[in-house]
Amino acid sequence: MNPQPNRLLTVSDIAERYGKSVSGIYHMNCYTPEQLPPSIRIGKALRWRPTDVEAWEAAQHESEVSS
């Protein structure tokens, strides 16, 4: 997935990226937000900055490697 640079990722984008359902992403964001990249709310919508997602994934990889 290579989104446009200024395009925010949607719940559907994140669900597809991590192999989850849309409802699963909403559930995780509510109950276990540490298992997802940091999101932002725009009104009622959840969105993710591509740079935040990539940084979070890199940090997750680093913590797995150092464990």
Side-chain angles (χ1 to χ4, degrees), residues 1-2 8 17 27-28 31 34 38 46 49 52 55 59 64:
M1 179 185 317
N2 194 2
L8 296 174
R17 187 175 188 125
H27 185 272
M28 289 171 70
Y31 296 104
E34 67 279 356
L46 280 176
R49 291 181 186 97
D52 290 347
E64 288 176 5

Side-chain angles (χ1 to χ4, degrees), residues 1 3-4 6-7 16 25 31 34 41 44-45 47 49 51 55 62-63 65-66:
M1 179 185 317
Q4 299 168 350
N6 295 327
R7 180 180 169 267
E16 182 179 329
I25 296 297
Y31 296 104
E34 67 279 356
R41 279 213 175 265
K44 292 183 177 182
R47 296 292 185 264
R49 291 181 186 97
T51 53
E62 286 298 316
S63 69
V65 170
S66 66

Side-chain angles (χ1 to χ4, degrees):
M1 179 185 317
N2 194 2
Q4 299 168 350
N6 295 327
R7 180 180 169 267
L8 296 174
L9 300 173
T10 64
V11 174
S12 295
D13 295 330
I14 295 297
E16 182 179 329
R17 187 175 188 125
Y18 298 121
K20 305 284 184 187
S21 66
V22 168
S23 62
I25 296 297
Y26 281 117
H27 185 272
M28 289 171 70
N29 192 69
C30 183
Y31 296 104
T32 56
E34 67 279 356
Q35 293 181 357
L36 292 172
S39 62
I40 56 174
R41 279 213 175 265
I42 300 175
K44 292 183 177 182
L46 280 176
R47 296 292 185 264
W48 287 262
R49 291 181 186 97
T51 53
D52 290 347
V53 172
E54 291 168 6
W56 181 83
E57 288 173 350
Q60 295 300 306
H61 178 71
E62 286 298 316
S63 69
E64 288 176 5
V65 170
S66 66
S67 294

